[in-house]
Amino acid sequence: MRAIWKGAVSFGLVSIAVRLYSATEEKDIRFHQVHREDGGRIKYKRVCSIDGDEVSYDDIAKGYDLGGGEMVILTDDDFADLPLTTSRAIEVLEFVPVEQVDPILYNKAYYLEPEQTAAKPYALLRDALTNTERVAIVKVALRQREQLATLRVRENVLVLNTMLWPDEVRAAKFDILDEDISARPAELAMAGSLIESMAADFEPSAYTDNYREALQEVIDAKVAGREVVQPEEAEEAPAAAVDLMAALRASVERARAARGEAAPAAEEAAEEEAEEPTPIKKTAAKKAPAKKAAPAKKTTAAKKTTAAKKSA
């Protein structure tokens, strides 16, 4: 690796001379624009949009678009007076708990290698960060720009992570999430089962860029003049289920089948119980109070007998 920057970490009154190296590299396959007929490279000229003349690099300045066709032109003299430190120093501002730094702020990563004379203070800062479980918040001038960054430890090496400024992170504002949306307990339980069935330790080396590998195969085949072997098509994903519980259950079964696992009997019973509707309690109807029996009416024959006795 080639060092892209040399300077020092300013840690209180301690100065640690370091070299900066890019910790990552993009593996994307890059292409040039060429003429389809003969493979000639396509070149672009720097042409002024007003007079049509080609412009040399010496005559190019920076312009800030105000809108409405107005442009403010800035020269090297305008940039010379800006408060950008020219010292090659990584200034430690404070030490914060690692969990307080939102990963969304991280931008690029660089390794710090100590100069031969700075190995001991380098190890001191590295071990102190490890023991306290904190990261150093620093400021550094890189590529004509002042940047906020962190110093942390990775595999026994100090890593400088440049960060976005807080106003460079967009607010996540989605009206649909302002609504009161919540999952049912049964759905949460099933989602938990799905997570557990897919739980694993993260091994970055287990993942590969299949598209890049296939594209490289196409390029190699072109160079060798052989036929390109089409990769096997991936298994089509099943159609999305309309019912959320059905989709979760199918996902759990699929994940377990891939691992050769079976659902625990206790869990199956819990899932069935979660799906059963709550029984409606029947309230016994109250009996109406019994009515008193009305006195029996005398019949016509009884009335005649009573009249005959009276006449006698």
Side-chain angles (χ1 to χ4, degrees):
M1 291 189 292
R2 183 175 61 88
I4 63 172
W5 184 92
K6 291 182 181 180
V9 177
S10 176
F11 171 37
L13 297 178
V14 179
S15 182
I16 309 171
V18 294
R19 297 170 183 260
L20 200 69
Y21 300 85
S22 293
T24 60
E25 59 180 335
E26 292 186 2
K27 292 289 188 176
D28 289 345
I29 297 175
R30 300 184 181 278
F31 297 97
H32 297 293
Q33 288 187 325
V34 297
H35 187 197
R36 186 189 299 273
E37 299 297 327
D38 55 20
R41 290 278 300 274
I42 304 299
K43 296 183 178 181
Y44 295 91
K45 294 182 178 182
R46 299 173 299 278
V47 178
C48 177
S49 61
I50 296 178
D51 57 26
D53 293 340
E54 187 174 354
V55 182
S56 66
Y57 280 113
D58 293 337
D59 293 329
I60 294 178
K62 292 182 171 64
Y64 182 81
D65 193 351
L66 296 175
E70 293 186 281
M71 189 79 66
V72 174
I73 299 176
L74 301 176
T75 64
D76 291 341
D77 293 337
D78 296 316
F79 288 97
D81 296 331
L82 294 179
L84 180 63
T85 178
T86 57
S87 64
R88 290 182 169 269
I90 300 173
E91 180 188 2
V92 177
L93 304 176
E94 57 186 359
F95 297 94
V96 303
V98 62
E99 64 272 9
Q100 291 184 1
V101 181
D102 191 336
I104 199 173
L105 293 171
Y106 288 132
N107 192 6
K108 294 183 178 180
Y110 301 89
Y111 291 133
L112 293 182
E113 178 194 29
E115 297 285 2
Q116 191 68 34
T117 56
K120 187 172 182 179
Y122 180 98
L124 172 66
L125 177 58
R126 178 197 62 197
D127 297 343
L129 287 174
T130 302
N131 293 341
T132 59
E133 296 184 350
R134 289 179 178 260
V135 296
I137 302 298
V138 305
K139 271 189 178 182
V140 60
L142 290 174
R143 306 186 188 280
Q144 301 296 317
R145 183 186 177 192
E146 184 178 61
Q147 300 197 45
L148 191 67
T150 63
L151 277 182
R152 61 184 181 88
V153 181
R154 181 182 185 272
E155 295 181 354
N156 217 33
V157 176
L158 285 177
V159 176
L160 177 81
N161 274 106
T162 58
M163 301 168 66
L164 301 172
W165 296 98
D167 59 357
E168 292 180 313
V169 179
R170 294 175 175 174
K173 182 65 177 176
F174 304 103
D175 293 339
I176 190 173
L177 297 180
D178 292 337
E179 302 174 8
D180 185 14
I181 304 174
S182 58
R184 295 187 293 118
E187 294 167 344
L188 281 174
M190 187 66 74
S193 297
L194 176 57
I195 291 173
E196 287 300 321
S197 64
M198 298 176 67
D201 292 327
F202 181 54
E203 294 292 343
S205 59
Y207 304 94
T208 57
D209 186 345
N210 295 333
Y211 176 83
R212 176 161 57 89
E213 290 179 353
L215 180 57
Q216 188 63 57
E217 174 65 22
V218 171
I219 294 172
D220 294 342
K222 284 272 188 179
V223 172
R226 56 186 170 82
E227 183 181 354
V228 179
V229 179
Q230 295 292 337
E232 296 182 4
E233 293 185 3
E235 182 181 348
E236 292 186 4
V242 177
D243 180 68
L244 183 56
M245 278 297 294
L248 288 169
R249 185 185 299 104
S251 300
V252 171
E253 292 173 355
R254 185 179 183 186
R256 283 182 176 147
R259 295 191 177 195
E261 300 175 357
E267 188 173 313
E268 290 180 349
E271 290 173 3
E272 292 176 0
E273 184 179 348
E275 292 176 2
E276 290 181 359
T278 304
I280 300 174
K281 294 182 179 180
K282 295 183 179 180
T283 305
K286 293 182 179 180
K287 294 182 179 180
K291 294 182 179 179
K292 293 183 179 180
K297 294 182 179 180
K298 295 180 179 180
T299 59
T300 306
K303 288 180 180 179
K304 289 180 179 180
T305 304
T306 305
K309 287 181 179 179
K310 287 181 179 179
S311 58

